[in-house]
Amino acid sequence: MKSLQINKVIIIVASVFLLTYIMLRAYLLSFTHDESLSLYIVDGKFIFADTANNHLLNTKLMDIFKKCFGRKEFSLRLPNVLSFITYSISCFYILKTSRKLWFTIFGLALILFNPFMLEYFSLARGYGISLGFMLLSVYFLLKDGMCTPNPSTLMKDFFLSSIFGALALFANLALINFYICVLVIFFIKYLIFKNQIKKFSSFDLKYLGVFGLSIIPLILGMGRLLKLKVLNELYFGSNSFSESFNSIFSSSLYISKYFETVVFIIFLIFLINLITGIIYIVGKKKYKSSLFILTLLILMLIFGSWIENLIFEAKYPSERTGLYYLPIIATFTYFLFRDLIEEFKIKRIIYLPILMAAIVFILINCCFGFNLSHTKSWRFDAHTKEMMKLVKINTKFKNEKYTISNDWLFEPSINYYIHYWDINLNYANRDGVNTNSDFIYQLNYEIIPPEYKILKSFSDNQCLLLIKKENN
């Protein structure tokens, strides 16, 4: 009993620490390119509404929080910050019954301490929201294994898992395959339950009624997917499964030394774990276990991606679009190790060094990924806020508006700060750099025009802010 209490305290302390880190990032980070495009939609620029950038639930929540708290970066990112609380609560319930302290720490490291995944809880995009609701859906999916003890529990678990799965889908359309998996697995659970209770009852009508209603989010998601296909918006991703998983794992890796070798090893470990899990489940007939559900979920997700590619010509998940795989694979790995150790009564002297090595590697990688200055996907936007502060200081000297030219990548985030800080500057465009503007902000700028001088150089992302000499 005492060890269970210690486990719960460790989970809570780790979650509070990471929430503090996420809140600091949400407050300090420059507003990024894609966040600014999402804000365009909120502000009524509907030309961006029918793009893959529009994560519907995130966009709606941004609109609500903007009206309540203003256009500050932190306000717009708050829905994702709060989603980490949902995510960590799900992690708490998944791990709280662990009977061994090292199992809990191992599970925590796997599910929580991924720096790439953590980035998205501090950004105004749909990924963090979708992860929070998805893991909560996974918890109710796993709660009673494949055999639910009574109809009311089965109904409640299905209702909650499908509701949270639907919210995850509306936060990020990439989770449509996950939502399909939830419906299929709960239908299998229903068939297993009916095999035990032969008679037809009012429960069957209620369950099938809820199942019918749960199809509605799927239909809406499929409709949006078809629309994005017609508009040629399903362009981001990988061309094969191996490329897909390599991109997902490499995005999570922040240790630069032997990068490609480590990514290959992680991919290999994943494949070995998946095959081991299948052999163990089949050999020991563990078809009622949570591990079986997680294994089935991963296999169905992979199959779903293949079908999606075949029908919609959508690319396979890559980097952030495959983010949802990370907590699922992490949870699968935790259950696999826990079940194998308990089933075969593996001695502590054998399993503990393996768990400790994995924990140390994960935490070291996380330390390398921790920062309060940039994101991995939008590294070029690391200093946009700082750059715009300098521009604001240097645009107070005349009544007419100053001009800025820039690399197209910076256009939406520059315009966010012009609007938010009411800077005496014409809005940026995507026409590229020209020497008629008062300021130039460019990525990898090599030749400095003689009429300009460097106002600020950002060496870590190779950006230069130039100002016309006559304006200085």
Side-chain angles (χ1 to χ4, degrees), residues 238-254:
S238 302
N239 296 313
S240 67
F241 280 120
S242 59
E243 185 183 326
S244 171
F245 279 103
N246 277 330
S247 73
I248 293 166
F249 293 137
S250 62
S251 295
S252 301
L253 193 63
Y254 287 73

Side-chain angles (χ1 to χ4, degrees), residues 39 41-44 59-72 75-76:
L39 188 58
I41 301 166
V42 172
D43 287 339
T59 306
K60 185 62 181 175
L61 290 172
M62 283 177 72
D63 188 26
I64 293 169
F65 278 69
K66 185 194 81 168
K67 289 173 181 174
C68 293
F69 306 112
R71 299 175 66 89
K72 297 184 290 291
S75 302
L76 298 168

Side-chain angles (χ1 to χ4, degrees), residues 180-281:
I180 293 171
C181 292
V182 169
L183 299 186
V184 171
I185 291 171
F186 267 105
F187 189 71
I188 295 171
K189 283 190 177 192
Y190 168 76
L191 293 177
I192 293 171
F193 182 79
K194 288 306 296 178
N195 190 49
Q196 298 168 341
I197 313 290
K198 303 291 185 182
K199 64 179 182 179
F200 194 83
S201 67
S202 60
F203 160 74
D204 298 276
L205 292 174
K206 291 176 184 176
Y207 193 90
L208 294 173
V210 172
F211 194 89
L213 290 173
S214 67
I215 298 293
I216 295 172
L218 178 59
I219 294 171
L220 295 174
M222 293 284 284
R224 180 159 175 78
L225 199 62
L226 283 167
K227 189 172 186 179
L228 291 176
K229 178 184 178 297
V230 170
L231 295 170
N232 198 30
E233 281 290 321
L234 304 178
Y235 55 83
F236 187 84
S238 302
N239 296 313
S240 67
F241 280 120
S242 59
E243 185 183 326
S244 171
F245 279 103
N246 277 330
S247 73
I248 293 166
F249 293 137
S250 62
S251 295
S252 301
L253 193 63
Y254 287 73
I255 299 172
S256 57
K257 197 171 185 182
Y258 310 119
F259 185 86
E260 291 184 3
T261 304
V262 176
V263 171
F264 174 75
I265 291 170
I266 293 172
F267 181 58
L268 191 62
I269 290 171
F270 164 66
L271 287 179
I272 292 170
N273 286 345
L274 187 59
I275 293 168
T276 302
I278 294 169
I279 294 170
Y280 168 69
I281 290 164

